Structures are given as C-alpha cells and as structure tokens.
Amino acid sequence: MANKPILVAEDEFTSRRLLEFQLRKQGIPFDMADSGTRALELFHPGKYGLALLDEYMPGLNGSEVAQRIRQVDPTIPLLAMTGDPDAIDRLREAGFQEVLLKPLHGKAHLDIILRYLS
Amino acid sequence: MAISHLPDLVDRVLLDLSQLGIHPAVRNQFPSSSPNLTFPFIDSAKKVLSIFFVEMEAGETGHWGWELRWEMGEGDMRVTFSVPPSLAANPALRCFPKTHQALQCLGGSLDIREGVGSLTLPMQHGLSRPNPPTPEESPAGAAVSSLPIFSSSVLEQACPDQEFARQLVEDFLRQSALQIRELEDYLSQGSPSLAPLIHRLAHSIKGGALNVGAFRLAQAARVIEGRAKMIIGTDPALSAPPDLPTLAELLEQLKKEHSLFESTYREGYG
C-alpha cells in the first residue's frame, strides 16, 4: 500500500492547491478530484491506498462518496475533511476512520495519511 | 457573552477562534479572583490573545498541551507557560512572531527562556468606561474585530515556500472577488430559494480565507454562511424573504474585510 497513490476529493480551489502542494512536498502520490462525482469516476478497487474526502461538496458530499466506495471496496481507509467540529461523530459513524479538521495547517494530517499508507 | 473578568475574556477569544475551526490545545489556570476589566484593555487583550492562540495552534508545536497560568497584577496581565523541548534559540520570534510584534506595539512582552514562556500585557490605566455593546448586539462588524486581519505565520506554516504562498494568496484574492460578485448577484435577485447557493459560496470563501490566514474575512464569511443556513431552514411558503436585508449588510461587511485583507497583505508582502 505504501506505493499506491491516494484519492483526494476537494471542491474548494485554495484547499485543493494547498493539499496538492503539501502532498507533493511529502512525496505522497495522489489523484485530485474537484467533486464527489469526479472522485467516483477516478475510483477503482485496489487503485488507491486511501481516500481523503471533503465532507461538504456540491452534488455528492464526502459521506455519500464514502458509502459508494465502501460498497465496492470494504477495506480502503476512508478519511474525511471538515471545517465543522460538530460533524466529527457523525462522520465516524458514517464509516470514516479519521476526521481531519480544516484548516489543514501543520503536518499532523500528513502524518495521519502516511500512517495509513505504511 | 459580556466580558468583565479575565476568564470571560479568554473564553471569548477561544470561542471566536473555535467558530473558525481553530482549537488551540490549552488548559487555563485562572487566579481565584481578578479585577474588573476595562474596555481599552479588553480590546488590546483580545487582539493579542487571538494572534497568540492562532500562532500557538498553527505552529510546529501545535500539539503540545499548553498549560497557561494567568495572573492579574496591579499593572498588567501575565500568562506563564512551559514550552516544548523542541523550541530552541529565538523561540519567541520563531513560533510567535506576530504575537511578539503586537505586544511590542502595546508595551507588552513575550519572553521564553529555560523552558518557560511569559507573556505580559500592561493594563491601560485611566478612566474606565462602560463596556461597548457585545458583538451579539452590534452589527456583524464588531464580532470579527478581535481576530487578526492576516496571520502571515499561519500562511507560512501552511506553505513554507514563499513563492507558492504568494501565488496561493493571489489566486484566493481573485477567486474570492469573483465569488463575492456572485453573492451580490444572488442577493440582488432577492429569492430565498438561492440561500443554498449563498451558503455554498460563503462556505467556500470561508475555507479559502482560513487557508491563507485571513481570519477576519473568514469570520465574516462564516456569519453569512450561518445566516443563509437559517434561511434554508425557513418555511419556503413565506412570502417575504425573512433575512435578505440583513444578508446585504453582512455582504458589505464581507467586502470590507476582503479589501482590508488585500491591503494588509499587499502592504506587508507586495
């Protein structure tokens, strides 16, 4: 799993650019989707080491994308991103192994991603 | 929430930051009693502590469990804390550059040595005057005033590459300007059915602003996001849009904060 890229779904432009920068700097290969729909187009079982999904996206939100991914891949780690601390419990109940609180500054979220990839 | 004593002040600052997703890991020990605070001091202290907590949470020591011991002396407010072992030479400047700068402007100080930090802010003496209206009673503008307009240290923590950071801010300024124009367009149409779109735009501006350290702009966007959410939850059969005039006021505040952020950023970083 260490060599597999990760799937990222983030609709907000600045957040996407920031994540791209951080992931490249950390040497984590990735595919970036700007919507839940695009994330599902990219996803295939076994292709990704984990999926990092923004919760609040137009169209399909992170939880809905996670549900559909889970139907075809029961083992892939699912990580959520949200700016709402009140959503943490709900997202865990929805099946996310980790919930990352935005803004994603520092390195903690990258350490978590690397832990799941190793 | 009225601010009259030190715990109220600190709680208020932490509450404002928590609404932006900023949660510094702090445990506070307050003195058993403290004097009533006067407005000039409250205003200065809110600004400094906002910057302090933002830098604390965003820095390389963001996961250190900060234990803050607060004291109110005759002439000043002091908070002492132990620092993580990783802080080496010039820790104050490296980890709290903006706090250090803000304190210097106010006659205060931030000193870290031998594993112990000490932040001091003098009380402003003179005639005390009644506290101004709480942010809940005033226009949206008052609620954002305790937050920094721009935290360069947050931006630097997020992306240490200066050129990339510059591009990120420029892209954000362009993108958010377009989004604000879209918001104006939606509001001019005056339909509650557009509330979900207003909510989404405000949410997006908030997220982008937090990424680049534009805290006051993020807060102004958060207020619009919250108001739009209330409208979404309102009975669509209502004939009159319940809150759109207020949304227009909030949009003016958002535009003002956008301009402030842009001018502050350009003054410091071109």
Side-chain angles (χ1 to χ4, degrees), chain B residues 55-183:
Chain B
E55 291 192 311
M56 178 188 287
E57 198 259 3
E60 63 197 62
T61 53
H63 293 279
W64 172 255
W66 298 89
E67 301 219 352
L68 308 181
R69 287 181 296 283
W70 300 82
E71 297 164 46
M72 294 295 297
E74 279 296 313
D76 58 26
M77 174 191 81
R78 182 184 301 264
V79 53
T80 54
F81 47 94
S82 58
V83 299
S86 56
L87 288 191
N90 292 325
L93 284 177
R94 200 175 87 212
C95 291
F96 300 101
K98 293 299 177 188
T99 307
H100 196 263
Q101 194 176 35
L103 283 164
Q104 282 189 322
C105 292
L106 294 166
S109 65
L110 174 61
D111 189 44
I112 298 179
R113 64 181 76 192
E114 294 176 356
V116 177
S118 175
L119 183 157
T120 306
L121 181 65
M123 302 274 284
Q124 292 185 18
H125 296 285
L127 293 176
S128 67
R129 44 193 174 95
N131 283 343
T134 62
E136 289 78 15
E137 297 162 2
S138 347
V144 310
S145 64
S146 67
L147 298 167
I149 295 171
F150 173 46
S151 173
S152 59
S153 53
V154 165
L155 180 61
E156 283 155 22
Q157 286 292 332
C159 37
D161 183 314
Q162 282 190 357
E163 180 53 31
F164 176 79
R166 192 192 64 76
Q167 283 176 12
L168 191 71
V169 175
E170 294 294 340
D171 286 343
F172 167 72
L173 285 170
R174 252 193 316 272
Q175 179 88 354
S176 53
L178 290 172
Q179 289 171 318
I180 289 173
R181 277 204 279 281
E182 243 185 294
L183 272 174

Side-chain angles (χ1 to χ4, degrees), chain A residues 11-18 20-22 25 54 56-59 83-85 101-108, chain B residues 20-23 58 63 154 157-161 164 167-168 171-172 175 199-200 203-204 207-208 210-212:
Chain A
D11 68 302
E12 201 277 312
F13 174 74
T14 319
S15 296
R16 268 205 313 280
R17 290 213 59 205
L18 195 52
E20 285 169 352
F21 174 84
Q22 291 170 339
K25 197 163 161 57
D54 184 34
Y56 186 34
M57 291 188 287
D84 179 8
L101 269 184
K102 294 161 103 175
L104 298 181
H105 296 147
K107 286 190 63 185
Chain B
L20 295 174
I22 312 267
H23 304 277
H63 293 279
V154 165
Q157 286 292 332
C159 37
D161 183 314
F164 176 79
Q167 283 176 12
L168 191 71
D171 286 343
F172 167 72
Q175 179 88 354
H199 181 266
R200 168 150 301 287
H203 176 83
S204 182
L210 285 174
N211 283 331
V212 299

